[in-house]
Amino acid sequence: GGRANSVAASMAMFGLLASLVFVMF
Amino acid sequence: EPQSTMFPEMTPECATVMPDLLEKCFATGSVTPTEDCCTDLKSATSTQVTCLCDNYIANPAVSNITGPYSKAITTKCGVFDKYSCDGTSKGGEEKKGGSSSSNGKDNGKSEGN
């Protein structure tokens, strides 16, 4: 459902941030 | 050395190649991918596929949510097989050249839930 999708999107954003953090260090 | 327990496979290489696809395809909150997203998914390298599988699609920490979500997107783009993360394409995908393709089955329609 839409809720799960937004959670998944949040996960993706978190992953995005995690990867960016990795790049920075 | 892994930076996050949630993303144990987040290697520097993955951190370099993942953001683009994540942002374009999996961080939209929509299960309807854009044409741009599909184009990128189709042209993604095996490294990108592996990184997405390990850290996102099949990451045990989030796969219960991201699995179905990713499946919906990749299915609509017609690349579900490539991102099935079942080990057949993971890391060892050969999409160019090569006369012996064992993973060339058609995946026009996949089952729903």
Side-chain angles (χ1 to χ4, degrees):
Chain A
R3 186 180 179 84
N5 294 339
S6 52
V7 173
S10 301
M11 295 291 183
M13 286 309 293
F14 191 78
L16 191 57
L17 290 174
S19 59
L20 290 175
V21 167
F22 207 117
V23 167
M24 288 166 64
F25 295 98
Chain B
E1 166 183 338
Q3 297 286 305
S4 164
T5 53
M6 196 172 185
F7 299 96
E9 306 293 329
M10 188 64 77
T11 63
E13 191 177 17
C14 284
T16 308
V17 300
M18 276 184 68
D20 187 48
L21 278 175
L22 275 180
E23 188 177 14
K24 202 171 282 183
C25 295
F26 301 112
T28 62
S30 169
V31 290
T32 305
T34 62
E35 202 174 309
D36 202 22
C37 158
C38 287
T39 303
D40 276 21
L41 285 181
K42 285 171 188 168
S43 63
T45 65
S46 59
T47 303
Q48 286 177 300
V49 175
T50 304
C51 288
L52 279 175
C53 280
D54 289 350
N55 292 289
Y56 185 66
I57 299 173
N59 181 345
V62 295
S63 63
N64 61 329
I65 296 167
T66 56
Y69 177 63
S70 305
K71 182 179 175 182
I73 292 176
T74 54
T75 299
K76 284 176 183 172
C77 285
V79 291
F80 172 70
D81 201 44
K82 183 174 179 179
Y83 295 87
S84 57
C85 303
D86 58 3
T88 57
S89 61
K90 189 175 176 181
E93 188 207 21
E94 305 260 345
K95 57 177 182 167
K96 289 191 186 122
S99 53
S100 60
S101 173
S102 59
N103 200 16
K105 63 175 182 277
D106 183 28
N107 65 320
K109 283 259 182 198
S110 287
E111 86 283 1
N113 284 324

